């Protein structure tokens, strides 16, 4: 599935919820399902700043695709990270860099997109794109070296 | 309590336009009063009148508007002096808020009194605004910051405080009421103890001034700082009360128009109190708004307000106890209308998001008091804080919301 | 000039409630705009709306009002950044006014750059707010304050300025427009000259920002400071623009809530820009009022305003010349809508009292620029200063009043 | 004449003026008539601070009565000082200390009484009373010594 397709899938899922309660219950469930980060990465180095809850995010790269794992001490935050991971996981750095995140607005999480929102959704997206940027540079440099 | 006049809560509420709004289609329950209070009509109208008809730059102007503005501004200073029972009107300095007042002190009083090897004493329950300025002063001066310990119940450990006083700190700066724990500190005694060593005492009154009568002469504190916006007044104005002898001895903080008597290329002679500490165009509108807020408090009755908030506190504590796994952070013997709590291991931010969606404004997080969080080993708390206009019904709605959040999150 | 749109002065005036009042039974003529401007309805209404419906403490709050307030506040920061054409939004720091902005710089930039034996360069036409902070910094650091001379016509002596630059001052801080003489300084050139030595330049824009388009990137100044209240905005808010690289390098000024990332008993980690420089609860209402004032200016057109004021200036200068013994203090080639004058040996305070009684608000005195008074050997001046809403008829009334005062006092 | 009588006289004089113009013209005339201070006293020591115009005030004491002289660079200010001198001149320190200055309000100079009025009327009155205070102490101390 492309990034856009996953985003559309999430939009469809959320459209079934009548009210915010169902939506948040769903996020809470997603939070429980989050691909848990390896404890060795649960350190300050992997901490995303600017959040009221703490979020750790790790990315690995197989030379082709990136996979993410994360954790947070707040479950709703974890649900939101997990949404992002579902969207970006298993894509190339270039695809991730090119993607937009308007779907968050469409599923009614717009309020979380404010740069000053203390859950740091914006910081998370930034961090994921940063990983993609780094791996993108790595792979282009490797290509050059070859 | 039998003979107190009925507190007309509906009348009080009717004066606050912000309270009748809906948030997410639910009537707003505003329990974030320790962060800032809503404003009564008299305050909003005062601001409006100033800007519609009276606005001008004050002091030194000969023209009518400037003259009238100056009189109004200086009358407001008298109102504040009377409100705090200051001995002299010129002991009242207008600042932009508590943080500004305390930074002024850390700079000016700090330069006057603190040298290498000296120390400054605060408590472990200070707001960052009464902690970081002193910490940074000490770093700069190579002095020591002494921090009086907090007990498990959220009170200052008076034995520790006494033993730290023996180190003869140059300044003691303590909060009157903790913005996290609600603890009302025994500042009369703490001031008396510090004065035994002739140490001047700064009181951070940000959380107390709207809730109980303050008499700076009876307290005998050397300084008292507060913010207008936590006292039903506009943002952008605060007060620093200081005893005349200290204010006279202290060097100025900021430099510019109005605080200067005579300037030549070579040197500058500074103005007298209070102007010496008021550089630049003052926020006249907000100062007049603060005066109106004080009138509102006096009309409503500060004792009545305090009593009402105390009843709200006890009602809320009782109701919250019904919730499984509720954990109160701090349960001091003397508590103001501020409650910090957690539910089991639920992250306060999770619960806060759900409670928000139910139309209730509480605060979650560390409340700019990270040393307190560290003390209790928690990431933050949920905090509900009350003002004159809150009701028992609002507490019912709030407790129901907390229960719902607990249910969703466990 | 032929094809400019007609400037609808009556429409502009109709937006300012304060202008339609009577003073001593005479229609108010408000010519004290360099001290502070009157406020348009959009600004007053914005303040009212904030306090009636939106008020809350911003940042870090999860609840609805706090979220909305934060978004509004940060949007206002963007508006200011666009208004000044700053490269980055976080280069905009909200302060309480120009004086606060410059004191911040004298403290933070001063600590970063100025040491014993160094120097700081200002001009002889600075307002005390851009003079005393640097003077006191130099006294504290045992550094030298260099003061560029002023010519008889009221301009900075550029040769003197250049020769002082050769002393390699660490900071240059100059006013864009003199609040006494009306001189528009050639700051583009002065900045360029300072940059040849890599010296950062601070511009005191208190008197310019309401009268001409400011583009901080085109100017290439390192800092630009102004006050909201001289720009049709409420009191209690000012701006400090600074280039990111400087703001990042500078130590913080005040300490407290919001500007802190992490606090422990031992140390404190500071927040990123712009929050690093914004300790304590910000004046949200006034910041939103400032945003509305910028909208007012953009709707009216800053070029239109500037042109209108220029016409008022020339008309007033012509008319005043009819008066016997009129003495203009300063007659720079490029002059903004500020006129300082004296009549023979009449004391400005005497004349001011009589002009006041005729319903006209002008300012008399040293205008917080005593070095300028010293330069011209005068006790003070009468000063008339114009804004978007002033009219030619008002100038006629004013000139007639000056004539009357001259008659009574000679 | 007692202090009260002079004050009443001034009130009567001012009551004849229809408008502020006449009043100010009168003050300007009074300014020109002010008992001019000896140039040796026109120094910073005799300067009253807190005025936009400069005011010098000197007092002498013959062991019984005080006489004042003054000058200012602003003529209206000088007129006001002269009013005060007319009221207080030739009275004993005790009489001056006991006097009030409500007459200034009654003649329509109330605006000048605001503590922040930059002509410093309040400072002038204060300064005159201060002289009276000093001479009062002097005379009581002398009495004691005798
Ligand atoms: C105890 C205490 N001190 C200081 C402050 C800082 O007040 P302000 O942000 O108005 O400067 C607060 C406000 O949160 C407080 O609660
Ligand atoms: C040139 C100049 N700089 C600085 C200031 C100080 O501004 P504020 O009093 O708003 O801080 C003024 C205001 O009079 C001014 O004209």
């Amino acid at each position: 599935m492309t990034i856009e397709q996953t985003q559309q899938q999430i939009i469809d899922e959320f459209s079934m919820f009548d009210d915010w309660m169902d939506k948040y219950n769903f996020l809470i469930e997603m939070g429980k399902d989050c691909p848990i980060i390896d404890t060795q990465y649960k350190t300050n180095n992997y901490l995303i700043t600017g959040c009221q809850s703490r979020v750790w995010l790790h990315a690995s790269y197989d030379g082709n695709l990136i996979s993410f794992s994360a954790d947070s001490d707040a479950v709703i935050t974890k649900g939101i990270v997990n949404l992002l991971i579902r969207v970006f996981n298993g894509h190339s750095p270039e695809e991730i860099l090119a993607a937009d995140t308007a779907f968050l607005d469409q599923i009614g999480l717009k309020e979380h997109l404010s740069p000053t929102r203390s859950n740091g959704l914006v910081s998370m997206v930034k961090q994921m794109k940063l990983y993609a940027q780094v791996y993108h540079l790595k792979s282009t440099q490797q290509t050059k070296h070859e | 309590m039998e003979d107190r006049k009925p507190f007309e809560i509906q009348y009080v509420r009717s004066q606050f336009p912000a309270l009748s709004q809906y948030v997410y289609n639910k009537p707003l329950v505003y329990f974030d009063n320790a962060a800032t209070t809503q404003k009564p009509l008299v305050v909003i109208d005062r601001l409006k009148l100033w800007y519609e008809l009276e606005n001008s730059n004050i002091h030194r102007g000969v023209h009518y508007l400037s003259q009238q503005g100056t009189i109004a501004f200086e009358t407001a200073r008298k109102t504040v002096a009377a409100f705090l029972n200051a001995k002299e009107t010129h002991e009242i300095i207008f600042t932009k808020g508590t943080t500004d007042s305390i930074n002024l002190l850390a700079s000016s009083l700090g330069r006057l009194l603190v040298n290498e090897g000296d120390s400054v004493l605060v408590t472990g329950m200070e707001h960052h605004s009464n902690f970081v300025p002193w910490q940074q002063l000490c770093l700069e001066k190579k002095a020591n910051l002494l921090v009086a310990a907090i007990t498990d119940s959220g009170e200052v450990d008076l034995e520790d405080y006494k033993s730290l006083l023996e180190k003869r700190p140059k300044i003691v700066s303590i909060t009157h009421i903790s913005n996290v724990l609600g603890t009302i500190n025994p500042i009369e005694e703490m001031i008396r103890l510090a004065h035994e060593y002739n140490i001047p005492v700064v009181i951070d009154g940000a959380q107390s001034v709207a809730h109980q009568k303050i008499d700076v002469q009876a307290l005998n504190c050397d300084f008292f700082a507060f913010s207008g916006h936590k006292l039903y007044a506009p943002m952008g104005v605060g007060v620093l009360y200081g005893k005349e002898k200290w204010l006279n001895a202290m060097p100025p903080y900021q430099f510019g128009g109005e605080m200067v008597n005579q300037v030549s290329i070579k040197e500058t002679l500074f103005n007298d109190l209070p102007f010496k500490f008021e550089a630049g165009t003052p926020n006249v509108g907000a100062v007049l708004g603060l005066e109106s807020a004080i009138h509102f408090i006096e009309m409503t009755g500060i004792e009545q307000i305090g009593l009402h908030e105390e009843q709200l506190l006890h009602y809320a504590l009782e109701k919250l106890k019904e919730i499984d796994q509720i954990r109160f952070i701090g349960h001091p013997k003397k508590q103001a209308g501020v409650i910090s709590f957690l539910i089991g291991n639920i992250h306060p931010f999770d619960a806060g998001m759900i409670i928000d969606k139910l139309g209730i404004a509480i605060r979650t997080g560390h409340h700019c008091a990270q040393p307190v969080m560290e003390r209790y080993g928690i990431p933050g708390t949920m905090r509900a804080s009350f003002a004159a206009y809150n009701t028992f019904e609002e507490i019912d709605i709030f407790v129901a919301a907390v229960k719902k959040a607990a249910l969703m999150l466990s």
Side-chain angles (χ1 to χ4, degrees), chain A residues 85-98:
Chain A
I85 292 181
R86 232 179 98 188
V87 168
F88 291 130
N89 235 10
H91 288 282
S92 71
E94 296 70 28
E95 284 169 336
I96 294 172
L97 284 171

Side-chain angles (χ1 to χ4, degrees), chain B residues 208-281:
Chain B
S208 66
V209 72
H211 308 286
Q212 56 171 262
K213 175 70 195 150
I214 301 296
D215 180 333
V216 289
Q217 289 188 76
L219 286 174
N220 199 19
C221 55
D222 298 274
F223 298 94
F224 189 93
F226 70 90
S227 302
H229 71 93
K230 293 181 199 273
L231 184 86
Y232 310 107
M235 292 169 154
V237 58
V239 166
L240 175 63
Y241 155 83
K243 280 186 187 165
E244 181 175 17
K245 64 165 182 185
W246 287 117
L247 294 177
N248 273 328
M250 281 156 56
Y253 176 50
Q254 293 193 322
F255 307 97
E258 221 36 74
M259 58 74 67
V260 142
N261 241 345
Q262 210 178 312
V263 177
S264 70
I265 302 266
K266 287 270 161 293
E267 59 165 11
T268 292
L269 300 178
F270 301 114
N271 206 338
D272 297 334
L273 289 180
F275 309 110
K276 172 177 157 190
F277 289 106
E278 292 179 0
T281 300

Side-chain angles (χ1 to χ4, degrees), chain B residues 192-203:
Chain B
R192 197 181 48 69
L193 289 167
H195 282 178
E196 282 178 10
Y197 300 93
N198 290 316
I199 307 165
V201 181
V202 179
I203 299 297

Side-chain angles (χ1 to χ4, degrees), chain B residues 84-155:
Chain B
L84 297 181
N85 193 31
K87 200 167 161 210
E88 304 286 346
T89 303
H90 57 248
E91 292 176 327
I92 302 299
I93 312 293
F94 289 117
T95 65
K96 67 177 171 181
T98 310
T99 304
D100 195 25
S101 298
I102 295 174
N103 275 276
L104 187 165
L105 285 177
S107 169
S108 295
L109 190 65
R111 265 178 295 156
L112 183 69
L113 298 180
V114 180
N115 292 304
E116 188 169 339
D118 289 342
S119 62
V120 173
L121 172 55
V122 299
T123 79
M125 65 167 82
E126 301 306 326
H127 187 279
H128 291 165
S129 293
N130 193 34
F131 189 89
V132 188
W134 303 114
Q135 182 194 46
Q136 297 297 312
L137 169 72
C138 289
L139 282 174
E140 188 198 318
K141 298 278 186 187
K142 300 197 173 66
N144 300 307
L145 186 68
L146 309 176
V147 184
I150 304 304
T151 64
D152 287 341
S153 63
E155 286 161 332

Side-chain angles (χ1 to χ4, degrees), chain B residues 18 21 32 35-38 48 51-53 55-57 59-60 62-64 66 96 99-100 103 129 135 229 235-236 253-255 257 261-268 280-281 283 349 356 362-363 366 370:
Chain B
Q21 70 185 294
D32 195 18
T36 200
T37 56
Q38 296 302 335
K48 195 161 168 277
Y51 285 119
E52 278 183 358
L53 225 54
N55 171 68
S56 82
N57 206 328
H59 297 307
R60 299 184 191 269
V62 268
H63 65 79
Y64 179 81
S66 181
K96 67 177 171 181
T99 304
D100 195 25
N103 275 276
S129 293
Q135 182 194 46
H229 71 93
M235 292 169 154
Y253 176 50
Q254 293 193 322
F255 307 97
N261 241 345
Q262 210 178 312
V263 177
S264 70
I265 302 266
K266 287 270 161 293
E267 59 165 11
T268 292
T281 300
N283 192 346
F349 186 58
D356 164 51
I362 63 165
R363 193 146 286 239
H366 56 57
Q370 290 179 12

